[in-house]
Amino acid sequence: MSGYNIVGQRVPKLDAAQKAMGRAEYIQDVKLPGMLYGKILYSKYAHAKITAMDISRALALPGVHAVLTGKDIPPKMRMGFYKDNPPLKADKVCCFRDEVAAVAAVSEQVAKKAVSLIEVEYEVLPAVFDPEAAMEKDATLVHEAHKTNVLKLPWKLHYGDVEAAEKDSAFVVEDRFTTTWVTHCCLSTSGAVALFDASDNLTVYSNTQIPSLAQKDFLETLGAMGLKGKRVRVIKPVIGGGFGSKLDTYAYEHIAILLAHKCRKPVKILFDRKEEFEATSTRQPTVIYIRQGCDKEGHLTFRDIRMVLDNGGRTSWGATTPSVMMMPITSLYRVPNVRYNAKCVYTNNTYSQAMRGYGNPQATFAIESCMDMLAQKAGIDPVAFRRINQNEPGDETPQGFKITSCGLAQCIDAVEKELTQGSPLEDGEGIGYASLIHVGGGARIYKSDGCGAILKMDDYGRVDIFTGGTDMGQGLDNMIAQIVAEELGLLAEDINVVHSDTDVCPWDVGAHASRSTFVAGNAALGAARRAKQTLLAFGAKLFEVAPEDLVMENRTVSVKNDPEKTMPVDKLLRKAHFSPGGTMLMADYFYDPPNENMGKDFRCNLSVTYSFGVHGVRVHVDKETGKVLVKNYVAAHDVGRAINPMLLEGQVYGGVIMGLGYALSEEVMIKDGQIKNPNFRDYKLFTAKDAVPIMAPVIETHDPDGPFGAKGIGEPGCVPTAPAVANAIYNAVGVRIKDLPITPEKVLAAIQEQSKGS
Amino acid sequence: MTKTISFILNGDEISCDIQDHWTLLHLLREELGLIGTKEGCGNGECGACTVIVDQLAINSCLFLAADVQGKQIQTIEGLAVHTGSLHPIQQSFVDNGGIQCGFCTPGMIMSAKALLDKNARADKEAIKHALAGNICRCTGYVQILDSVEAAGRQMAGNQGKGAAAAKDPGTITQQSMNKKAGEVIT
Ligand code: FES
Ligand code: FES
């Protein structure tokens, strides 16, 4: 069918057996000789001045090796791209998760006890928790020196002429939507171990998604500590879930480094679950005002969005999510005139980070809810309305995205077919749709969007490939193994993928933007091609044919059309190795896709290709309780090509359930800056009991730039889930919920409101 | 307070000194070096720490080490150890995509084993029920449920052929443990 042997196969995840036996080592399992345990003391208030601190009792506790406070932080040391976050705060705290002191001790217990002995005196300041209130003139300032609570970020674009287009529109709808805090809930909590060697070179074990950029951050930390010219090695243990949470470096990593240096011993900081909820970042909450219009035939005429994002007390990547939101806003469906203006506003709440979709779920919630509202106003069936406006191959969107492969039309067909062939809708049942666009070939958010690969082959026909990419469970190891095995005519089990250590793995910008299969995959493919070239040149000499006359398949190199002339690949490798002037097979490749940085007006081709998808859901709404039951879910994606359909389905199923949690149940409840539900009992994740039937049709459009035609699919599964559900609820009972999560209380209140009105 | 307890761990008799306040999870991971059992919450809310005590799946983070005196404990390390090959449940998780990051996996497999040891023919609803206390953030549960169902079918088939003891290393472990403790398998 596909003409491939390994690509397209459901090869089990390479490390699955190790994990099934409980032998995989996570950060929890890293123990080094002489290791100390670090613990962090957090703020008691959302906003306060630190007036005094007494660490003497903690220092006096037997077993305590060091206590650090904000005063011990080198003056220039700031975390985050906005540089507003020292690892320990000296003068003032801006949210409950602000770190004020840290200890290192011989055991967790002693460290905990020591932290409880630190005395901090605060002068409580007035605080602000509502981002819209924080924008007002006389609002309390979260950072006085910043002079305003609105971050100085340029999230503003206008393509075409929205006002003129609105005048020419036959139908216009507008509304306000809100999304709230949700969090990654990686099953493994966060942690790091830091240690220095005798020459002050640093090693950090961390379950990071950005080994190379973390290395750079830690080098900056060393620089601030006065340790110039030292080396940093980042080792990733097996990662127990990422979803964007580990795209930045955090206070606990930098504090572990400072403590390790002070104590001259390895120091480990490991979060407990409460800390994981309270001191790691969320998805950015938003207030979204949207206006959208179409002409009489249903062609979109304009889209106009204003957004306020709660930035919390400090800044991490969450504040840059508007850059990715621009993608659905300007490019989901054909919409000629677009305006967007987003403000990130400091408050005394917790702060946000990347989370699967990087802003796309929030923006798509408003856009796709509004699409249904507009379709209704125009009197057009919602699916037909989407077909009228669907993106097509060859389109260039207002932002300058060049759409190459695009299976949005096929996705709509696939979902409609699956959803409408069941039993007829019963009372209280409804169907809803929503689509997505996402970067499918990486995204240039840094100077380089590249990834390196180094490949070597041994005397036995086996490959070790060192990739810059990161596997955190999503299956990059298989993508690389299957791509390399396909190219070299080997089996997936012949390929050992090493992605754990910056000392041996080349540079990569990080596991984000659903880029790993595409970018790390292309890098691996490039290295495999080079290795193949060398090997075939050697084989060609041996068989006295041209390299083009050779094929590599089934672990063998053979001359085409001459079955006599064939040699197992391991034998050929040994011949190359052990002949006079021998050679070992090694190859490398660095792939940086031709993605463009955003220009001044944000126009660019952000990604060399884009992924598309359509989700459809059938729900039942209990009119007595407001409870929404998902009866059936179909999520079709244009993935270019499925390198491994089983792992691909796993990404979709996992994404959809995470998306359903976002739609229906998940919420970090924050009251006056304080998290009220920092545990799995009160933070409502879907469990096995809530598992729903999901179908995941795969549309293969064979992308010309993807490795074997593949595009990214890590994030899309959770992007259009919430609006699909909201649209289905409206279809079922005629109420539109505009605030996530769509809890039974909200649905019931809306139903009651509706019946009052009628 | 320190005291000495004896119990059977993955088929082997063990005797060790413990502190009264230790949890079974602490004993396994920190004292005995069995890191396969994971801690996801330490609070009985995630199931990552699930082990089997006398045929019941329990959260070892809430179970006091002192209470395993005289009992039989199975952890993830005990499933494949005797033959070196994977237990059918482990193999099924591998083959059906039931494992992504893998942090929930040992707990999931132990919950599944407690169920399937009792009833290999458990249907999807029973499986969902048995796994309801095990959170997975990666898979959306679909392939985990498939994995357990397929494993059950295989275990039921093996039992049907009277070959359970030969094909299921976990069952061997279970039986040898029971024998050691002088109990009878029904
Ligand atoms: S660690 Fe025991 S239930 Fe979560
Ligand atoms: S596989 Fe990651 S939590 Fe289940």
Side-chain angles (χ1 to χ4, degrees), chain A residues 187 240-241 243, chain B residues 98-105 108 135-139 144:
Chain A
L187 207 56
F243 316 114
Chain B
I99 301 172
Q100 289 188 24
C101 85
F103 202 82
C104 71
T105 306
M108 283 284 179
I135 290 174
C136 175
R137 188 52 151 169
C138 301
T139 64
I144 287 180

Side-chain angles (χ1 to χ4, degrees), chain A residues 12 19-22 26 28-29 31 183-185 187 273 473 646 650-651 654 657 666 680-681 685-687 691, chain B residues 29-30 36 38 40 45 76 86 90 94-95 97 99-104 128 135 137-141 143:
Chain A
K19 287 172 172 172
M21 291 197 285
Y26 300 81
Q28 285 78 0
D29 308 318
K31 250 189 197 172
T183 189
H184 310 77
C185 295
L187 207 56
R273 181 54 61 183
M646 181 168 80
Q651 285 305 296
I657 293 292
E666 289 182 37
F680 286 139
R681 203 175 42 251
L685 291 171
F686 272 51
T687 70
Chain B
R29 282 186 56 85
E30 307 302 327
K38 298 298 175 201
E45 294 162 1
I76 192 72
L86 295 180
Q90 292 174 313
V94 170
D95 293 341
I99 301 172
Q100 289 188 24
C101 85
F103 202 82
C104 71
K128 282 184 177 181
I135 290 174
R137 188 52 151 169
C138 301
T139 64
Y141 305 101
Q143 288 160 318

Side-chain angles (χ1 to χ4, degrees), chain A residues 201-241:
Chain A
N201 295 310
L202 170 68
T203 298
V204 181
Y205 293 77
S206 182
N207 41 8
T208 180
Q209 293 176 233
I210 46 158
S212 305
L213 294 188
Q215 186 183 37
K216 180 171 169 280
D217 282 3
F218 300 152
L219 275 167
E220 274 173 27
T221 291
L222 293 191
M225 291 162 71
L227 302 172
K228 295 246 156 65
K230 300 296 173 190
R231 301 173 66 92
V232 170
R233 176 183 186 188
V234 177
I235 299 178
K236 284 176 294 178
V238 176
I239 299 180

